[in-house]
């Protein structure tokens, strides 16, 4: 979701900007733009891919450059609405991630200005233009920020000022530290090729980078922030011989799961044991990992918790000082999840974060956190990070007793199961149902999410026992049912569910270590004790979605309408 790159230094500006934007593509976007400053401001924009933008950008000899991939929020997908946005005199260029809420009020204040787009971002350029009439750039930025309500990561260039200005509020922004060169980016992937040292900015931070260095301010005072080191390799931004990042990342699960299990979770375990109440909050795939954590805590430790969809949290929960909120987010930047924990913090709750991104907002908002160390996940669909989240859930529940080798072997054996013919079958169906019960229900939920995300087909997950309460009316020859059937106490009941849907004409596939003779296709997974058996299902649901998406001609790495990191509510 929107990406920013800014650069000041000695390298070729067009090259740094294009490469930066390419590495941000995975976040999702619909248009892109680049702006340079030397004797004047030069802006180039294009609806579509960065590769198309590259062809229309002149190689301007400039001191600084900014670039942006836009995911439309205010205003349609047009060249005018793409960033950088400029002021009336074309002296200021602005790239922005986030949403400004008091747009109408600001437009009234700027009624003498000429607007060229429908964006909230353009207002920022005009506000700054006003303030610059009275004061110097940094103060003008501060005065501009004071007028904004909403979220923003901003990078700004001003003609005649050899600095890039920046500001951050509820949207990620990092400074990349090179030698006599500095980067500003919403994601460290945009500068990992040039430097591994970076500073994650905090909410309320603003300042500048120049050829001489950088300065950060917050509430009018200069502040120092931590310098961190990137903990993954540049090769992770490459496909490494695989046709898609998603397939590469599915195959990496076996290795990265060990990194997640190496994390020390003892402080988290202690917080959970002493909590008055436990709320688990997350979105999408992370929600499914959270659901599993909830079930594991209850089943194996007798600890009760509530699992809540992050965007629903503020409407449904009333945390207090005895509450521990466990927030799970691959990116650590999902706005819904951050909003939930900020709300919980205001009410005195303590926060545990589980994330893949060191230096993400979630790490700074958490009292304790666990980093998955799964490496960069480029595919929009979460795969290896889901497995890592589940592994951390196992670690929290079973501590040092968790059996790493068992998890790795279980994943490896399932990765070898051929899913191609089942994927071929799937392309003929438009009604997909994923069934599970007990611990395998969150797995079924993840199966349905992955499938709909990548194939654009309707897919739903149900606990088998729920079928008779409505969904059975949908079962006929046009329905495809995928059942997850571990040999636990749910097995016999799942057999019954399978018979129920089969009797109504549905095509039924099952993944199970047991003998399920009533189904049309059986993916026989290796026998494993519960809850380890769950790991045998994960690669199957991912590969089914991946293979079907490829057969349908979709791009599994960049499913339509979706973005990797959802930094707006
Ligand atoms: O970064 P997060 O884990 O907080 O992201 C949450 C969801 O947006 C994410 O899991 C999404 O559902 C994935 N695209 C699923 O594959």
């Amino acid at each position: 979701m929107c990406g920013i790159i800014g650069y000041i230094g000695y390298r070729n500006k067009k090259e740094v900007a294009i490469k930066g934007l390419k590495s941000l593509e995975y976040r999702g976007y619909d248009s892109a733009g680049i702006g340079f400053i030397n004797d004047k401001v030069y802006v180039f924009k294009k609806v579509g891919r960065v590769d198309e933008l590259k062809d229309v950008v002149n190689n301007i000899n400039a001191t600084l450059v900014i670039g942006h991939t836009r995911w439309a929020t205010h205003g349609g997908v047009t060249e005018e609405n793409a960033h950088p946005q400029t002021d009336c005199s074309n002296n200021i260029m602005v790239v922005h991630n986030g949403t400004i809420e008091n747009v109408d009020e600001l437009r009234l204040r700027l009624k003498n200005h000429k607007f060229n787009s429908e964006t909230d971002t353009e207002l920022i350029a005009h506000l700054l233009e006003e303030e610059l009439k009275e004061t110097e750039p940094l103060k003008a930025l501060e005065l501009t920020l004071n007028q904004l309500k909403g979220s923003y990561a901003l990078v700004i260039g001003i003609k005649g000022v050899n600095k890039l200005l920046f500001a951050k509020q509820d949207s990620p922004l990092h400074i990349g530290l090179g030698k006599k060169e500095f980067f500003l980016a919403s994601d460290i992937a945009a500068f990992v090729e040039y430097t591994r040292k970076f500073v994650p900015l905090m909410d309320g931070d603003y300042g500048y980078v120049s050829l001489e260095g950088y300065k950060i301010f917050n509430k009018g005072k200069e502040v120092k922030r931590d310098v961190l080191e990137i903990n993954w390799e540049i090769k992770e931004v490459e496909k490494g011989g695989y046709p898609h990042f998603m397939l590469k990342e599915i195959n990496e699960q076996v290795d990265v799961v060990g990194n997640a299990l190496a994390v020390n979770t003892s402080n988290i375990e202690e917080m959970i044991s002493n909590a008055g109440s436990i709320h688990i909050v997350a979105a999408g795939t992370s929600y499914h990992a959270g659901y599993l954590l909830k079930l594991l805590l209850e089943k194996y430790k007798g600890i009760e918790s509530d699992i809540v969809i992050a965007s629903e949290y503020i409407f449904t929960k009333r945390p207090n000082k005895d509450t521990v909120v466990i927030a799970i987010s691959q990116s650590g930047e999902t706005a819904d999840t951050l909003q939930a924990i900020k709300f919980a913090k205001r009410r005195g709750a303590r926060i545990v974060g589980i994330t893949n991104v060191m230096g993400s907002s979630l790490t700074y908002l958490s009292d304790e956190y666990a980093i998955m160390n799964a490496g960069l996940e480029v595919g929009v669909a979460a795969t290896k990070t889901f497995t890592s989240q589940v592994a951390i859930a196992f670690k929290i529940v079973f501590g040092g007793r968790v059996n790493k080798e068992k998890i790795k072997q279980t994943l490896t054996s399932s990765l070898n199961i051929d899913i191609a013919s089942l994927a071929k079958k799937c392309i003929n169906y438009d009604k997909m149902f994923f069934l599970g019960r007990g611990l395998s229900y969150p797995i079924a939920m993840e199966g349905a999410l992955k499938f709909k995300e990548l194939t654009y087909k309707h897919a739903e997950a149900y606990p088998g026992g729920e079928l008779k309460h409505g969904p059975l009316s949908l079962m006929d020859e046009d329905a495809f049912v995928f059942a997850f059937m571990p040999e636990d106490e749910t097995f016999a009941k799942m057999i019954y569910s399978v018979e129920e849907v089969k009797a109504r004409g549905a095509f039924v596939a099952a993944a199970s270590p047991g003998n399920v003779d009533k189904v049309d296709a059986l993916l026989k997974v290796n026998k494993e004790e519960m809850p380890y058996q769950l790991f045998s299902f994960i690669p199957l649901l991912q590969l089914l979605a991946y293979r079907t998406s490829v057969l349908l001609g979709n791009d599994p790495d960049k499913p339509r309408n979706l973005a990797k990191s959802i930094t707006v509510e």
Side-chain angles (χ1 to χ4, degrees), residues 144-423:
T144 301
L145 298 176
N146 289 344
Q147 300 172 65
L148 303 180
K149 288 198 187 110
S151 60
Y152 47 81
L154 288 170
V155 178
I156 301 168
I158 303 170
K159 196 179 100 181
V161 178
N162 277 340
K163 288 172 180 162
L164 277 176
L165 302 183
F166 62 78
K168 178 216 175 322
Q169 182 63 48
D170 293 325
S171 202
L173 191 63
H174 309 294
I175 309 179
L177 311 178
K179 284 197 183 102
K180 298 211 165 128
E181 59 175 349
F182 293 91
F183 302 81
L184 285 158
S186 38
D187 191 320
I188 50 182
F191 54 70
V192 61
E193 180 175 345
Y194 311 107
T195 178
R196 303 185 68 78
K197 283 199 175 4
F198 72 104
V199 176
L201 293 165
M202 303 288 112
D203 282 345
D205 284 356
Y206 62 95
Y208 66 84
V209 296
S210 71
L211 288 172
E212 284 75 45
Y214 67 93
K215 280 199 189 297
I216 307 171
F217 299 84
N218 200 306
K219 297 196 178 95
K221 288 207 177 78
E222 190 176 347
V223 289
K224 295 278 171 240
R225 298 288 179 220
D226 300 343
V227 176
L228 305 182
E229 189 97 14
I230 296 175
N231 62 352
W232 46 268
E233 299 301 321
I234 176 81
K235 68 174 180 349
E236 296 188 29
V237 200
E238 288 153 16
K239 289 188 191 139
Y242 286 93
H244 299 102
F245 281 108
M246 184 179 176
L247 190 58
K248 173 178 172 246
E249 288 155 5
I250 289 173
N251 281 287
E252 280 171 357
Q253 303 185 93
V254 181
D255 292 326
V256 300
V257 85
N259 303 344
L261 292 170
V263 167
N264 183 347
T265 54
S266 51
N267 288 349
I268 297 176
E269 289 164 46
E270 202 181 311
M271 276 172 82
I272 289 176
S273 301
N274 298 327
S277 58
I278 301 166
H279 299 166
I280 305 173
V281 293
T285 288
S286 298
Y287 174 80
H288 303 146
Y291 204 128
L292 202 48
L293 173 62
K294 175 205 158 47
L295 298 181
L296 291 170
L297 278 173
E298 187 136 2
K299 184 160 185 158
Y300 295 96
K301 293 194 94 172
I303 297 175
E304 288 191 11
S305 60
D306 291 343
I307 170 81
V308 190
I309 287 186
S311 55
E312 287 295 289
Y313 189 78
I314 58 169
F315 307 121
T316 53
K317 301 307 273 185
R318 289 295 167 263
N320 58 41
K321 64 176 179 29
D322 298 321
T323 308
V324 167
V325 176
I326 306 177
I328 309 180
S329 170
Q330 179 280 126
S331 61
E333 299 293 353
T334 297
D336 292 331
T337 307
L338 297 182
Q339 182 204 48
I341 57 176
K342 283 178 187 168
F343 169 75
K345 267 174 100 76
R346 284 197 297 276
R347 296 181 61 96
R350 288 190 309 144
I351 313 294
V352 169
I354 300 176
T355 180
N356 194 30
V357 183
M358 186 69 190
S360 61
S361 302
L362 180 53
T363 58
Y364 284 99
L365 289 166
S366 299
D367 297 282
E368 278 294 331
Y369 60 81
I371 299 285
M372 300 172 216
N373 279 316
L376 182 71
E377 188 174 70
V378 177
V380 164
T383 53
K384 62 176 178 175
T385 55
F386 174 65
T387 308
S388 299
Q389 290 168 342
V390 175
I392 289 191
F394 270 57
K395 187 76 190 279
I396 289 172
V397 174
F398 300 110
R401 287 176 292 121
V402 65
N403 189 331
K404 180 169 95 181
E405 285 318 309
K406 205 175 259 190
I407 294 177
K408 284 179 162 247
Q409 279 161 19
T410 310
L411 286 168
T412 309
S413 62
S414 283
L415 279 168
N416 290 328
I417 293 177
D418 186 7
I419 206 120
S421 53
L422 200 59

